[in-house]
Amino acid sequence: MKLSPGAVKILPDVISQEEHDSIVDELLFNHTEDFSLKRFRRRKYERDHWDAAIVGFKEIERPLSQWSSGNRIVLERVRGIISQNSDPIQSWLEPHVIDLAKDGEILPHVDSIKFSGGLVCGLSLISSRVMCLQPPQESPENYAKGPDDMIQVQVDPRSLYILSKESRFDMAHSIAKCPENSRRMSIIFRDALSS
Ligand code: OGA
Ligand code: MN
């Protein structure tokens, strides 16, 4: 399996530890009057949907305007880093926050090509996981289970991954479960479909 240069980019340390902690703090601990965030914190992880691509997770769209000003500036800087590392971006969708439970995993999938554009990028928070990329399959049980037929990359806290071209459209991505996993969060940035 070959990917063209730059189809998967992993940029380490795009935010500092203080910036990381401040983002996690806003999401999980800060006193807030933001009711959608309060509901998000209280919400149980979703596990029951048998065909869900994500198991043991919760997700919220959190527009940049809703973040505290310090964290908003950091997330805008991350968008800027994505722009510098990709083809020109017409417009952005609002970021999504994914909260994966200790035993949560994201099964292989291709992000909807109906709603988002040519980029899928993730800022990883709290703990390291392995991201796998492999050719999409018609049915979930057809996915390779072993490492031979997949590309694996480690996504560490404070790193940013950028999937574009084949890694966005012609490969499925997943976040593996592993025995010593701990909770992981990510902030997902996507561009809008250009018309
Ligand atoms: C997704 C996804 C990966 C991640 O939300 O579609 O693939 O890093 N997330 O959380
Ligand atoms: Mn995805």
Side-chain angles (χ1 to χ4, degrees):
M1 198 178 330
K2 270 235 153 93
L3 286 176
S4 63
V8 189
K9 286 187 185 166
I10 311 275
L11 309 178
D13 306 333
V14 296
I15 60 173
S16 69
Q17 189 63 48
E18 291 70 38
E19 291 166 341
H20 168 279
D21 295 350
S22 167
I23 289 170
V24 172
D25 215 60
E26 172 160 350
L27 289 172
L28 297 182
F29 306 116
N30 261 359
H31 174 74
T32 178
E33 294 304 323
D34 176 342
F35 286 100
S36 58
L37 186 56
K38 279 186 172 170
R39 273 197 303 274
F40 176 68
R41 286 178 183 174
R42 279 202 300 263
R43 222 159 80 199
K44 291 207 167 68
Y45 290 118
E46 296 172 36
R47 299 179 180 279
D48 46 351
H49 200 227
W50 67 273
D51 65 346
I54 315 187
V55 183
F57 84 106
K58 42 187 178 166
E59 176 171 12
I60 188 175
E61 179 184 285
R62 187 161 169 78
L64 275 193
S65 61
Q66 289 177 6
W67 291 82
S68 67
S69 59
N71 289 338
R72 181 161 65 236
I73 289 167
V74 172
L75 297 178
E76 281 167 352
R77 194 182 81 221
V78 173
R79 272 188 178 175
I81 295 171
I82 297 169
S83 299
Q84 284 162 15
N85 282 280
S86 57
D87 293 339
I89 294 159
Q90 312 255 301
S91 62
W92 290 100
L93 299 177
E94 294 292 356
H96 283 228
V97 175
I98 306 272
D99 180 350
L100 269 188
K102 183 175 161 50
D103 60 350
E105 67 181 312
I106 301 183
L107 304 175
H109 67 282
V110 178
D111 282 19
S112 169
I113 51 168
K114 290 197 196 114
F115 306 113
S116 56
L119 282 179
V120 175
C121 310
L123 177 67
S124 297
L125 305 171
I126 306 178
S127 73
S128 291
R129 291 284 184 116
V130 173
M131 171 179 264
C132 306
L133 295 161
Q134 54 189 322
Q137 303 292 332
E138 292 280 319
S139 96
E141 56 271 19
N142 291 348
Y143 277 101
K145 301 280 184 291
D148 297 346
D149 292 316
M150 53 175 83
I151 294 168
Q152 294 183 305
V153 290
Q154 183 155 327
V155 289
D156 291 329
R158 306 193 290 109
S159 73
L160 174 71
Y161 64 79
I162 302 179
L163 306 181
S164 64
K165 303 176 189 149
E166 313 94 271
S167 70
R168 189 267 179 264
F169 293 112
D170 307 329
M171 301 282 262
H173 56 272
S174 53
I175 300 281
K177 197 159 144 161
C178 84
E180 64 276 22
N181 279 342
S182 50
R183 187 184 197 173
R184 170 184 186 264
M185 297 185 88
S186 56
I187 302 180
I188 306 297
F189 299 85
R190 299 184 180 90
D191 62 329
L193 209 59
S194 57
S195 46

